[in-house]
Amino acid sequence: MARLTHTVTVAPLDRGWFEEAAGTLVDLLDGSRARANGSVLLADGRAVAGLRLLKGRHLRAGARYGEVPEPVKPGADGRVPAGSGTSGTVGAGAADGLARPGTDGAADGPARPGTAGAGAAGGSSGSGADGCVPAPGPSATVGAVVLRAWRPAHSVEVESRVAEDGLALRLKMRLSEPRRPRALGLSLSGHRPDRGSLYRFSGRGAADLAAWWAAVDRLPSALPAARPPVTARAAHRLAKARLTVTPHPADDGSWRISVVLSVRGRWLLRPVGAVALFFARRPVERGFREAVENAAAQWNTALAELTPRHGEALRTEIAEALTETEPDKTVPGGPTDPWGPADIGGPEAR
């Protein structure tokens, strides 16, 4: 078994600001509504950038969300440039229960006119009413986010399904008490449907935020927390891994974060891995340290860019971040949208 450990110093995050920002974000989303074309609008009427309701009722269990792909104009010969078609990708998505943004997918019913609904049967995609076709190609990412529970006073649960280059991924997340987050749970599984068990893996992670705040509120002279507030485990046929993250306050008010990674080989890989680690331990340790230090640098950069705003100023800043669109980006539901209205399965408002 290999055990790698490294400690870094990061800037502290103010708990009051974090919980206020989380509560404001939840309130903004809880007050949103979906239009008939699937666009999600905040209470002030601005659309959430890149998000569209594909199926179900907005903020109800089973609602499916995704992004609208940018249309691609066919060439003079009527063909789509290489890598822009959807044949081959829809078939993979249908096999895993994934729906292409703007459609219900082969698993959910007939395809929307002008989409690659026949892709699951090996057909190619057709163009929309404006002569455009969806942009994602066989190597592009096809995914959707399914809302499993929306109870802002209790918990929020979402499931993300992604298919890319034949690899199917499923990520589940559960946040307890979203307005003042107390715990975060994650689970990840992945496989290639056309391959064997060597292409399967899974992982679980948990962050006890209440324990985290308790750990950083201790005196610098106190002993570190007995149980790491953040843990993660990953399993593969050939190896298992466990990651822990433990914070401790420093004398200057910053946080010292200890990261420990343990890797254990399974089956016949144990003796082989032990020999390989004997010769490659230094490069492995150096790579681990660099990865932890890069993560710490990104954390410090992100905190430095945050403006310590509160109240209405914070609400305005979060709302602008949700509705900010990239230049020259197709707006969902606009005149160049090749998918047409989305099926929201109910009335316009919640």
Side-chain angles (χ1 to χ4, degrees):
M1 182 179 74
R3 187 175 187 273
L4 307 175
T5 180
H6 190 55
T7 301
V8 292
T9 301
V10 301
L13 174 64
D14 181 70
R15 178 179 183 177
W17 183 90
F18 170 74
E19 292 182 345
E20 182 183 0
T24 300
L25 175 61
V26 171
D27 289 341
L28 284 170
L29 295 177
D30 194 50
S32 64
R33 67 185 189 279
R35 295 197 310 179
N37 66 358
S39 300
V40 177
L41 306 181
L42 297 182
D44 60 7
R46 289 183 293 174
V48 178
L51 184 65
R52 186 167 185 173
L53 178 63
L54 307 180
K55 185 180 180 182
R57 295 285 302 279
H58 181 49
L59 294 184
R60 295 291 188 269
R64 181 176 299 178
Y65 300 86
E67 292 187 2
V68 177
E70 295 185 21
V72 177
K73 288 284 187 179
D77 57 357
R79 295 186 176 183
V80 179
S84 299
T86 54
S87 61
T89 310
V90 177
D96 292 294
L98 302 176
R100 179 171 307 284
T103 70
D104 288 343
D108 294 310
R112 192 180 307 282
T115 66
S124 59
S125 62
S127 59
D130 60 352
C132 299
V133 297
S139 62
T141 300
V142 178
V145 175
V146 181
L147 184 65
R148 295 303 182 191
W150 180 262
R151 295 171 292 176
H154 182 264
S155 64
V156 171
E157 299 179 38
V158 297
E159 178 180 335
S160 176
R161 305 174 184 179
V162 178
E164 183 175 12
D165 292 332
L167 178 64
L169 298 174
R170 176 173 294 185
L171 174 66
K172 296 181 180 180
M173 184 200 76
R174 185 180 189 275
L175 182 63
S176 299
E177 300 184 25
R179 287 194 171 94
R180 296 187 63 184
R182 291 189 56 83
L184 174 67
L186 297 172
S187 66
L188 172 68
S189 62
H191 72 285
R192 294 180 68 97
D194 57 339
R195 303 295 177 90
S197 59
L198 288 178
Y199 291 86
R200 291 181 178 272
F201 59 90
S202 62
R204 289 183 178 276
D208 187 339
L209 300 180
W212 180 282
W213 297 121
V216 297
D217 284 342
R218 298 183 178 206
L219 294 174
S221 58
L223 294 175
R227 294 178 54 188
V230 178
T231 59
R233 297 177 183 271
H236 184 265
R237 183 180 178 183
L238 300 180
K240 287 184 176 181
R242 183 174 186 267
L243 179 74
T244 64
V245 181
T246 305
H248 191 73
D251 293 331
D252 60 356
S254 59
W255 293 349
R256 291 182 57 79
I257 309 296
S258 296
V259 184
V260 179
L261 174 64
S262 303
V263 182
R264 181 188 296 274
R266 304 178 69 185
W267 306 99
L268 296 178
L269 188 64
R270 285 190 179 183
V272 176
V275 173
L277 185 62
F278 177 79
F279 291 101
R281 187 172 186 88
R282 288 187 177 180
V284 171
E285 290 178 341
R286 182 171 58 251
F288 174 73
R289 288 195 304 269
E290 291 176 352
V292 174
E293 290 173 358
N294 287 339
Q298 293 177 8
W299 169 275
N300 290 332
T301 300
L303 284 190
E305 293 175 351
L306 289 176
T307 303
R309 297 180 179 175
H310 297 275
E312 191 59 33
L314 178 60
R315 182 183 182 88
T316 300
E317 185 174 17
I318 295 177
E320 289 178 352
L322 288 173
T323 58
E324 183 179 4
T325 58
E326 298 178 12
D328 303 325
K329 192 78 170 181
T330 302
V331 178
T336 59
D337 179 8
W339 299 119
D343 176 13
I344 63 174
E348 176 178 332
R350 290 170 47 200

